Amino acid sequence: MRRLKEVSQADLGDAVGLTFQQIQKYEQGQNRISASMLFELAKALEVSMSQLLGEAAEVQNETMRLVDGAEAAALLRAFQRISSPRVRREIIHFVEAVPDIWSLE
């Protein structure tokens, strides 16, 4: 919803008294969000809470479809054990490049 409204994480954070990092963690599912904060976010985005919750449910469903399967789950478990942010970024870049590399063969 934030992206549809073309609102940056920093601007949304400013509107509700949070840092952009806190907004980022909410969006990535790293932090739980209280009902009162959900209300504040909906108000700042000028949408209803049901619209905000509906989008969150869609994102969660899409995420579940992406990780459905033993291989995806194994990849995620291994990735979570990597503590270095730099190494994690490099792995993401590598995995994103693999389809392009193999399509050249």
Side-chain angles (χ1 to χ4, degrees):
M1 191 62 62
R2 175 187 62 77
R3 290 184 187 129
L4 287 175
K5 295 275 191 170
E6 297 182 354
V7 176
S8 71
Q9 290 175 334
D11 288 342
L12 182 57
D14 287 344
V16 297
L18 298 174
T19 66
F20 83 90
Q21 293 96 334
Q22 289 169 303
I23 297 294
Q24 194 172 53
K25 287 181 179 183
Y26 284 146
E27 288 182 354
Q28 295 172 347
Q30 293 175 340
N31 285 356
R32 292 183 183 215
I33 187 166
S34 68
S36 60
M37 180 52 65
L38 190 62
F39 176 78
E40 292 300 320
L41 291 168
K43 191 167 67 171
L45 291 169
E46 299 177 341
V47 298
S48 69
M49 284 184 62
S50 62
Q51 287 175 294
L52 209 53
L53 290 170
E55 182 183 2
E58 288 176 30
V59 169
Q60 185 175 10
N61 288 339
E62 177 62 20
T63 301
M64 293 310 293
R65 281 192 294 277
L66 288 172
V67 298
D68 187 28
E71 291 172 333
L75 182 61
L76 286 172
R77 280 192 299 274
F79 187 79
Q80 285 302 111
R81 291 193 311 267
I82 300 167
S83 60
S84 168
R86 186 183 66 75
V87 171
R88 290 173 80 135
R89 281 191 305 275
E90 291 299 323
I91 289 171
I92 291 168
H93 292 306
F94 170 76
V95 171
E96 288 174 337
V98 167
D100 297 330
I101 294 168
W102 282 1
S103 69
L104 298 176
E105 292 181 3

